[in-house]
Amino acid sequence: MGMNLAALVEVIVTARANNLNVSTHESMAQRAYRLIRADIISGARDPGERLRIEMLKTVYDIGPTPLREALQKLSTEGLVLALEKRGFMVSPLNLDEFSDLNIARIEIEKVALARSLALGDNQWESRVVAATYLMKKEDEALLASGAGVYDAWESANAEFHAAMIAACGSKWLLQMRDQLQDMCERYRRSSISQSNKKTVNGNRDVGEEHAAISDAVLSRNSELACQLTESHYMKTLSRLGGNPNLVGDLQP
Amino acid sequence: MGMNLAALVEVIVTARANNLNVSTHESMAQRAYRLIRADIISGARDPGERLRIEMLKTVYDIGPTPLREALQKLSTEGLVLALEKRGFMVSPLNLDEFSDLNIARIEIEKVALARSLALGDNQWESRVVAATYLMKKEDEALLASGAGVYDAWESANAEFHAAMIAACGSKWLLQMRDQLQDMCERYRRSSISQSNKKTVNGNRDVGEEHAAISDAVLSRNSELACQLTESHYMKTLSRLGGNPNLVGDLQP
DNA sequence: AAAATAGAGATTGTCGAGAAAATGAAATTT
DNA sequence: AAATTTCATTTTCTCGACAATCTCTATTTT
């Protein structure tokens, strides 16, 4: 692939702006980062678990240098804790931090949602409609099966919420939100693996919540959309044992 | 310093929660991270500048492995761009991204400010009063001197704005805000070095703006405080050539 | 002259080795 | 017995070396 530097920078900056992955063949460091990150978020690695280089070398078949680079990146994100002269560990979980994360996530999501509703064009509306359609199908399938959430449901859910805020006009706002989302996801997963997976959606009709959010968004009712989204996330939070008192609306 | 692992993790987690630095003797990787980060934010390293390992090795007297770890961390933050098989460079600046960053920063700051006003206690009020007092002194000194901003003014300004939002109840919200702030700072610095330093505060009476913000905060007038803070930051943005249209209030 | 090619030199990304520090178990002291 | 010390082992962090790849100049071709 012959390409000069300026052109490559252009490609990378543009791709990053659209949250795309441009790599032809990833480096060992990237690979390590991707794999370890996925293992931590999915709960395959327990919170508090030591991440010893020798062990990781054996498991992922990657040398110590790229492994350390990956762990440093993850420590910047907060998924990994770097202990001076004592290596790395998966960041421990605690409920106070979960509340803290959720406050940040929900507040940022609300801001992005309000902006998105104010700025979104027809293209964006079409994406919202498409995501809503898919979400409805998956919510119905989930309700019918009575089982836990599928991967298909998960990805429809992710796209549903991403679509709503996509037109907010700041990729940094979206990136902050994504990062906080991933941190929260780890709490959700570890909570699921501890309790019964079937209770994940409790007695809620998540489909109805999604439909209400979509309606509010498409009718550009910013206040209602924010309120519904907040309570949507808060229901998940309180079911997982977080402290909802710290999150809720402040002005009565 | 004899200390078992559990105790150390406790110390580190607690210290991180309060944004403290607990290191007794920093590692080469930490040192590289700190120095390179400061050089990028201060503008000592130009946007778009290649960061070659050999060069960095000579300048900072640090081996290639810790240097790469530092660069990877910085690339997670967005200050450095990692180019596949072509090393690292200081992230290029562009005005669109500056607007983007400012949207995110101002929105997050407003959210944190509203929460802080709703949740802050007497202890917090006292910090606000102290920061306001110091800020007033520094603003007066700045006005009297007629010169550019001093380090003392910079740090008073940083504490002034940090104090206002300190009681928001989410360390993550504050951390996101800090990260965006540092990114914005780099734009401000590079803009200053290009133009005349004396024009930094233009015809604005920044002292008056600060006083108005402080009054609104202490009287718990959330809406006014948010509005004043937003326009305070926007004045800086538009003077630096950003696109203020993309930032402003959305609901008329 | 502009574009393509080729090859010397520089740079990245990775690995293994080794010094310095932490850990844990056994021995010693209080 | 509990606390301290000792010391062998493990682990981290850092460095230099090396293969793979990129870059830049000089040369050839169109």
Side-chain angles (χ1 to χ4, degrees), chain B residues 24-42:
Chain B
T24 50
H25 192 61
E26 70 182 350
S27 68
M28 288 293 121
Q30 278 177 275
R31 182 181 168 77
Y33 172 77
R34 184 172 53 79
L35 294 175
I36 298 173
R37 187 172 199 279
D39 281 353
I40 292 175
I41 292 173
S42 75

Side-chain angles (χ1 to χ4, degrees), chain A residues 196-213:
Chain A
N196 185 343
K197 198 165 183 184
K198 281 197 182 177
T199 68
V200 162
N201 285 299
N203 290 329
R204 291 163 70 192
D205 187 343
V206 182
E208 214 157 274
E209 291 176 36
H210 284 146
I213 290 172

Side-chain angles (χ1 to χ4, degrees), chain A residues 118-181:
Chain A
L119 297 172
D121 56 8
N122 289 336
Q123 194 74 34
W124 166 75
E125 278 187 14
S126 134
R127 179 174 169 186
V128 169
V129 171
T132 302
Y133 179 83
L134 200 58
M135 186 80 259
K136 186 172 182 233
K137 294 285 180 197
E138 291 295 341
D139 276 335
E140 284 166 1
L142 182 67
L143 205 62
S145 80
V149 296
Y150 305 95
D151 278 0
W153 184 91
E154 295 272 19
S155 86
N157 187 241
E159 166 59 12
F160 178 81
H161 290 293
M164 302 298 148
I165 61 176
C168 78
S170 167
K171 76 186 160 68
W172 276 96
L173 213 46
L174 295 176
Q175 189 182 307
M176 299 285 112
R177 178 259 193 187
D178 286 346
Q179 196 188 320
L180 294 167
Q181 190 105 306

Side-chain angles (χ1 to χ4, degrees), chain A residues 20-37:
Chain A
L20 297 176
N21 190 354
V22 74
S23 73
T24 51
H25 192 61
E26 69 182 352
S27 69
M28 289 292 124
Q30 278 177 277
R31 183 181 167 77
Y33 172 76
R34 185 172 53 79
L35 294 174
I36 298 173
R37 189 172 197 278

Side-chain angles (χ1 to χ4, degrees), chain B residues 8-170:
Chain B
L8 181 73
V9 171
E10 181 87 11
V11 167
I12 290 179
V13 168
T14 311
R16 270 195 11 161
N18 301 334
N19 284 323
L20 297 176
N21 191 354
V22 73
S23 74
T24 50
H25 192 61
E26 70 182 350
S27 68
M28 288 293 121
Q30 278 177 275
R31 182 181 168 77
Y33 172 77
R34 184 172 53 79
L35 294 175
I36 298 173
R37 187 172 199 279
D39 281 353
I40 292 175
I41 292 173
S42 75
R45 298 219 166 271
D46 291 330
E49 180 184 338
R50 295 290 296 275
L51 296 166
R52 294 206 175 80
I53 300 294
E54 274 304 317
M55 180 270 283
L56 299 174
K57 241 172 76 174
T58 318
V59 173
Y60 298 106
D61 196 34
I62 294 175
T65 311
L67 279 174
R68 290 186 56 84
E69 289 177 22
L71 292 170
Q72 292 282 9
K73 288 194 78 161
L74 290 165
S75 81
T76 307
E77 270 183 87
L79 288 168
V80 159
L81 203 55
L83 308 163
E84 196 146 314
K85 274 275 168 195
R86 260 164 270 208
F88 303 87
M89 69 161 54
V90 180
S91 290
L93 299 182
N94 72 33
L95 283 179
D96 282 350
E97 171 153 78
F98 189 35
S99 291
D100 185 322
L101 277 167
N102 267 287
I103 292 171
R105 178 176 67 129
I106 293 175
E107 292 290 6
I108 289 175
E109 182 114 10
K110 276 159 59 179
V111 161
L113 188 59
R115 293 190 62 90
S116 196
L117 262 58
L119 297 172
D121 57 8
N122 288 337
Q123 193 74 35
W124 166 76
E125 278 186 15
S126 134
R127 179 173 168 187
V128 169
V129 170
T132 302
Y133 179 83
L134 200 58
M135 186 80 258
K136 186 170 182 236
K137 294 285 180 199
E138 292 295 340
D139 276 334
E140 284 165 1
L142 181 67
L143 205 62
S145 79
V149 296
Y150 305 95
D151 277 0
W153 184 89
E154 294 273 19
S155 85
N157 187 241
E159 165 60 11
F160 178 81
H161 291 292
M164 302 298 147
I165 61 176
C168 78
S170 167

Side-chain angles (χ1 to χ4, degrees), chain B residues 178-209:
Chain B
D178 286 345
Q179 197 187 320
L180 294 167
Q181 190 104 306
D182 287 340
M183 294 285 286
C184 290
E185 176 71 4
R186 189 167 72 105
Y187 280 86
R188 220 196 71 205
R189 295 289 182 99
S190 84
S191 163
I192 290 170
S193 61
Q194 277 162 19
S195 67
N196 183 342
K197 199 166 184 184
K198 281 198 182 175
T199 69
V200 161
N201 285 299
N203 290 328
R204 291 163 68 192
D205 186 343
V206 183
E208 214 158 273
E209 289 176 36

